[in-house]
Amino acid sequence: MNSRQLLFKRISQNWKQQFAVVKRVVDWTVLVYLVIPAIVISFFVYRSWWVQIPDWMTLLPFPAIFILFFLLLWSDHFLTYVREADQIFLRKKETLFLGMKRGGIIYSYAFQLLLAVTICSLIAPLWFIQFGLHMGQLVVLAAMWVSMKWLIMGVKGRLNVELRGWRSLLRGIPLFIGAAIIWMWCYKAFINENFVLILALILINTIVSAWFIRRRFNSVHTFEQDLAIEELEKNKYIEIIFGLSMDMEKMPKPVPVRKSPRLYSKSNRIFKNRTPKNGFIELFIKATTRNTEYIIGYFQIMGVTSAATVMLPPLWLKITMAIIGTVFLLTWLGSVWYKVVGSHSFTKKYASEEAYFEGKKVVKTILVLPFLFIISCSLFLNIWIRNHFFFF
């Protein structure tokens, strides 16, 4: 097996692994009732944009495109597709190992180029019809964005990706500010049609990116950094998918056990009336309020659904997203209830009793009411604003 075959095998394994995780989350019912209809609707909506631009898109200013592209710069690394076991075997075969690493980096360059073409294809109706620009200018935008993406990926490949917390945030501030300044130069050069400066920025970004990545490209002695980046990218997508999962509700990181919890430190009783139903509800309240991940998950579902009802233009699509969000919330609450109460070693033997299901029903009802209130307020507020302010 040569380095090219090994690289293709690793890339194929990587995609199969991600697809396997998605399959565990998106079962056939979700696929049939949500994913496939969403794809079909998205296709026809995108096709309609070429016929007539929606009213809400006509309100977007041209700088919003550059802001959107700037926000899409930050998510990837140059991948070399190394594995932990390679330290034992492949590092002894330097030619094979180095060939695979180089191929992985070249593949990362090409993948980002393909991603730029895809994003530009999505904004093409707005670009051509609304702003009246031509294909050459769209190609220039794609080239500026992908060269900037390569530069940021090169810089991130030299940083310690295992660093977390406030130190990682402080380290990322100079990178963010520098990227914002360069992207502002790109925007001003594009507006002023200074294509000499644009070409210079594209070449400089590409050359500096290659300079930052040269050690990983030419040496086998960056194995630890390469492996850390691979693990970061793999776990990033898995955590996102698991976070959206309802059947595999997982915590992103273990929570240390405290001798005295912050809430209910003396195990105070919440309900004076001690009934089996109230016991289940009390256990659920204490377990979920002591762990911020459950609280954050609840507000994330509420926030995403509320944002969808505000941003999506047709009324029928707003109502559809509100219904989908409600169903998703109810299913997620059922999953959390089972993890906290139903699967607990002390309470799972009571999971067949009537009080268990009564408590579950009460929790779902109480938590879905504020959700429906916020979504309804978002929907009616959006309709009222659109009726009274023409510029929305």
Side-chain angles (χ1 to χ4, degrees), residues 25-38 246-247 328 331:
V25 178
V26 183
D27 57 13
W28 70 270
T29 54
V30 177
L31 182 67
V32 170
Y33 293 108
L34 290 181
V35 177
I36 294 178
M246 293 170 287
D247 296 327
F328 187 91
T331 309

Side-chain angles (χ1 to χ4, degrees), residues 262-274:
R262 292 186 179 92
L263 295 177
Y264 323 109
S265 57
K266 298 180 181 180
S267 194
N268 310 74
R269 291 180 177 182
I270 298 177
F271 302 104
K272 293 182 179 180
N273 185 15
R274 310 302 294 171

Side-chain angles (χ1 to χ4, degrees), residues 128-162:
F128 295 132
I129 300 175
Q130 172 64 21
F131 297 119
L133 302 175
H134 53 76
M135 176 62 74
Q137 292 171 310
L138 187 60
V139 172
V140 170
L141 174 64
M144 288 192 301
W145 182 81
V146 77
S147 67
M148 192 73 195
K149 186 74 176 287
W150 290 341
L151 174 62
I152 293 175
M153 290 168 62
V155 174
K156 289 166 65 177
R158 295 289 294 271
L159 301 177
N160 180 9
V161 298
E162 296 180 342

Side-chain angles (χ1 to χ4, degrees), residues 69-203:
F69 272 68
F70 180 75
L71 297 177
L72 297 175
L73 288 172
W74 302 94
S75 60
D76 297 301
H77 289 82
F78 285 110
L79 302 180
T80 54
Y81 296 95
V82 300
R83 300 291 184 268
E84 191 170 1
D86 294 343
Q87 190 170 11
I88 300 174
F89 177 71
L90 280 184
R91 286 189 67 176
K92 298 177 181 178
K93 299 180 178 293
E94 184 170 332
T95 302
L96 179 63
F97 186 58
L98 195 56
M100 182 193 68
K101 285 185 55 178
R102 289 173 174 173
I105 292 174
I106 294 173
Y107 172 79
S108 298
Y109 272 106
F111 182 81
Q112 296 303 323
L113 186 60
L114 179 61
L115 181 61
V117 173
T118 303
I119 297 174
C120 289
S121 299
L122 294 176
I123 69 163
L126 183 65
W127 188 268
F128 295 132
I129 300 175
Q130 172 64 21
F131 297 119
L133 302 175
H134 53 76
M135 176 62 74
Q137 292 171 310
L138 187 60
V139 172
V140 170
L141 174 64
M144 288 192 301
W145 182 81
V146 77
S147 67
M148 192 73 195
K149 186 74 176 287
W150 290 341
L151 174 62
I152 293 175
M153 290 168 62
V155 174
K156 289 166 65 177
R158 295 289 294 271
L159 301 177
N160 180 9
V161 298
E162 296 180 342
L163 195 65
R164 295 289 186 271
W166 63 270
R167 291 177 298 174
S168 177
L169 178 63
L170 290 179
R171 183 196 59 190
I173 291 176
L175 176 61
F176 181 87
I177 295 175
I181 293 173
I182 297 175
W183 192 241
M184 182 62 68
W185 290 346
C186 292
Y187 171 73
K188 291 183 177 179
F190 186 89
I191 293 297
N192 297 325
E193 297 185 353
N194 189 346
F195 294 108
V196 175
L197 178 58
I198 291 175
L199 180 60
L201 289 171
I202 293 172
L203 290 176

Side-chain angles (χ1 to χ4, degrees), residues 222-235:
T222 59
F223 178 81
E224 288 75 15
Q225 177 71 357
D226 295 334
L227 183 61
I229 291 174
E230 294 292 326
E231 292 297 321
L232 174 68
E233 288 293 316
K234 180 176 67 175
N235 295 333

Side-chain angles (χ1 to χ4, degrees), residues 284 298 302 329 333 362-371:
F284 180 84
Y298 176 77
M302 181 184 293
L329 175 67
L333 288 174
V362 170
V363 166
K364 282 188 172 183
T365 303
I366 292 176
L367 290 179
V368 82
L369 288 177
F371 176 85

